[in-house]
Amino acid sequence: MNRHSPSTSALYQVAVRALCEFTAKQGDLDLRFTPSATALEGINGHQAVAMRRGPGYESEINLDGVCENLHLRGRADGFDPQCARLEEIKTYRGDLEAMPANRRHLHWAQAKVYGALLCRTRKLAELGVALIYYDVDTQLETMLVERHSAAALEEFLVDQCRRFAAWAAQELAHRSARDAALSELKFPHAQFRSGQRELSEAVYKATLAGRCLLAQAPTGIGKTVGTLFPMLKAWPSRSLDKVFFLTAKTPGRALALQAIRTISEAQNTTPLRVLELVARDKACEHPDKACHGESCPLARGFYDRLPQAREAALAASTLNKAALRQVALSHEVCPYHLGQELVRWADLVVGDYNHFFDLNALLHGLTLTDGWRVGLLVDEAHNLVDRARAMYSAELRLSELESLLARKPARQLRPSLTRLANSWDALAQAQTSAFAVHDELPAVLLNALQNFASAMGDHLLAQHEARTEPDPALLRFYFDVLHFLRLHESFGEHSMMDLSLQHDAANEPGGADSVWCLRNVVPAPFLKPRLKACVASTLFSATLQPTGYYRDLLGLPDDSLDIDVESPFAGGQLQVRLATDISTRWQERERSIAPIVDLIAAQFEQAPGNYLVFASSFDYLQKIADRLSLAQPQLPQWTQARAMNEPAREQFLDRFRTDGKGIGFAVLGGAFAEGIDLPGRRLIGAFVATLGMPQWNPVNEEFRRRMATGFGEDRGHDYTYLFPGLQKVVQAAGRVIRTSDDRGVVWLIDERYRRLKVRNLLPSWWRIDT
């Protein structure tokens, strides 16, 4: 058979870029920072090069072809027919000579593969292959050209494909076995829990239909297995390449990995490759070393040892943090970057929200560049609103800039840093209020930020050439500036710009610090294209009401589905009592402490056991705890502290013993208000001493005004205050009833629980004692 013609057997689909990264990467891992163009600058650079060419110039040429057992696809940047030259355009800034040789080697490989495919398509006998390096600062281009015969380019292409062919054959066999096993997948338990079948059927049907599903399902029905199983079952029918399971917190990843293990162990065989992604700071073996071969031994020769490490890693079915670290260290490569490389070959990736939704998200970027068909599961999706807002927001502090100036930075940086500080300080001095919203970033400050970014880029290049490491604080401030500038490129009605003046103790004019914030208000414009990139997605949680709030803020597709799974719990399992004679409003808090303490003591006397008390702030919490300690010194109690580490959190939870009696105090919306499991007698009740609403302040009021403009006056208040507050209340109360055998009580303490509108937002299965 001619290798250019498709065979009757399955071909392995691979992007040209992915092929070359597999075959042509070599040498050290080198993450010494060298300034690069932003995505927008890259697009503009490509357009600028194209506009300089003749009228017959072709841009973005889609190419594909078959070689060995591969179906290659990709898009060449440009072709100039007048001189028969294919162009691969790379944007950059700084000194081109500082570019590592292994990166240039990769660029040539991509260009030659595109050249071979173009020669096939256009039946060319020879071709000029050019690397065009476009400097986004000077707008100058450097052209490196090689002339090749079509036969030579074809030979290069075949060589690259043969290097990949054995791996592709292995991958095709793995995918065939995987899809066959998933087609026969059986539910891992003897029967579904109440409500779990309804959830699973909804996820399965939504996945088959290629839709987005918003699924509210009560705690305790097994949502993790109930969503993973149906998406895995539907995988072969939808020809998925990957499934991403995203969580808000570390415990969610552990639950997902356990659920996958449960599903796999219930089958005779399920050849599913599972990868856990963790943050760099939690995976780095040498945090005291820089990430390049001259400093870190695990970066030295990384790409030379990668093939053996990759093969060993994929021999294991599940690569959690510990397993991945073991494989990486046995091959002397970095665990974090091995995990990043293995994303291409894993089937199911378990990670944090930011791995897919962040501006620089690895999973989203690879989904687009490699054309993956992805199924997405988002756990505890009620958290995504706040997490997404944080991802698409940026902050810059004048005090950090002044601290850098005080340390006498390098001479070439001082003018740009001084100019930035002076323009910033002048704007702060001119502001008469502590908080002010700006329609746009003042031009003088924008220019100063861009000037600093350019000067810092030159400085980093000089340090790179001198083999010296940058000042960590300076580099951190630089990254903050780049993030701010990048978000500024997409600034619009979904965000707000403000300057806050934070006064010193003497309340001097101008303040001790000033903070520029670019705050995201509505994450939908950022999230919508990411959700659209998936074949199917399910966002699930115990608290996703009202659905309109999440549809509007998360940017769900217009044809998205929603389901509210009926609770398996009976109303008699949970006594919900209202203490509406107590106000927890800010002005009433001091007066509320004594009656709240009396209520806690009376409930404990009536039914001794373990209880949790939730309050809206650490200060309020501590005052209630202190008063209870004075009134009931014999009653055991323990209190959440600020910034508790993992061992401290475990110690807090360990106090909730089955045979124990006492009161735990925790802040609403914190580490103990969701995602913890204290079944049976470990927790028999909770007190929620707040409506949970965010505090009134100028920032939240501006949020309310913008929500009102976008979604209507009533929704402005509800979207900013009421819905987020009651979401936290329901999550906290959900700690009490975890299984069908649990019994407990929840006290909701605030006079506003009298309102019908508020009570209608509480779970329908609750029977509220009024």
Side-chain angles (χ1 to χ4, degrees), residues 366-485:
L366 288 176
T367 296
L368 296 183
T369 58
D370 289 5
W372 289 340
R373 294 178 56 81
V374 167
L376 181 69
L377 294 172
V378 181
D379 187 21
E380 300 293 354
H382 64 275
N383 287 301
L384 187 55
V385 174
D386 285 343
R387 283 290 304 277
R389 280 175 173 160
M391 291 177 204
Y392 309 130
S393 297
E395 174 183 288
L396 295 174
R397 290 184 169 272
L398 180 59
S399 59
E400 294 179 1
L401 172 57
E402 291 175 336
S403 176
L404 293 175
L405 280 167
R407 297 217 301 270
K408 296 182 179 179
R411 180 176 52 81
Q412 61 267 41
L413 288 178
R414 288 176 204 165
S416 64
L417 284 170
T418 302
R419 175 186 171 189
L420 177 58
N422 289 342
S423 59
W424 190 333
D425 188 58
L427 291 166
Q429 293 288 345
Q431 185 166 303
T432 57
S433 60
F435 174 83
V437 176
H438 292 252
D439 293 334
E440 59 185 5
L441 190 66
V444 63
L445 187 65
L446 176 60
N447 292 335
L449 288 169
Q450 292 171 334
N451 180 262
F452 163 69
S454 178
M456 183 65 181
D458 294 340
H459 173 65
L460 287 172
L461 282 170
Q463 286 194 306
H464 180 71
E465 292 170 0
R467 295 293 192 253
T468 56
E469 301 296 338
D471 173 9
L474 180 63
L475 194 60
R476 186 167 53 250
F477 181 74
Y478 176 48
F479 286 151
D480 289 343
V481 168
L482 291 182
H483 182 58
F484 195 99
L485 289 173

Side-chain angles (χ1 to χ4, degrees), residues 96 143 153 165 182 187 213 228 319 398 448 496 501 754:
L96 185 58
M143 180 184 296
L153 290 172
L182 291 178
F187 190 69
L213 173 68
L228 267 168
L319 287 165
L398 180 59
M496 58 184 272
L501 306 183
R754 289 196 198 108

Side-chain angles (χ1 to χ4, degrees), residues 31 237 271 299 369 702:
L31 294 188
S237 298
T369 58
E702 185 63 28

Side-chain angles (χ1 to χ4, degrees), residues 12 167-175 178 182 232 235 241-243 257 260 264 270-276 310-311 313-320 342-350:
Y12 187 89
W167 184 267
Q170 172 185 301
E171 288 299 294
L172 286 170
H174 163 73
R175 293 179 182 187
R178 177 199 67 197
L182 291 178
L232 294 177
W235 184 316
D241 295 309
K242 313 276 180 186
V243 165
L257 292 169
I260 296 164
S264 297
T270 307
L272 196 67
R273 296 173 181 165
V274 181
L275 174 67
E276 179 187 14
R310 179 170 52 213
E311 190 168 351
L314 295 183
S317 59
T318 299
L319 287 165
N320 60 14
L342 291 174
V343 165
R344 292 187 185 278
W345 318 112
D347 301 312
L348 200 161
V349 179
V350 178

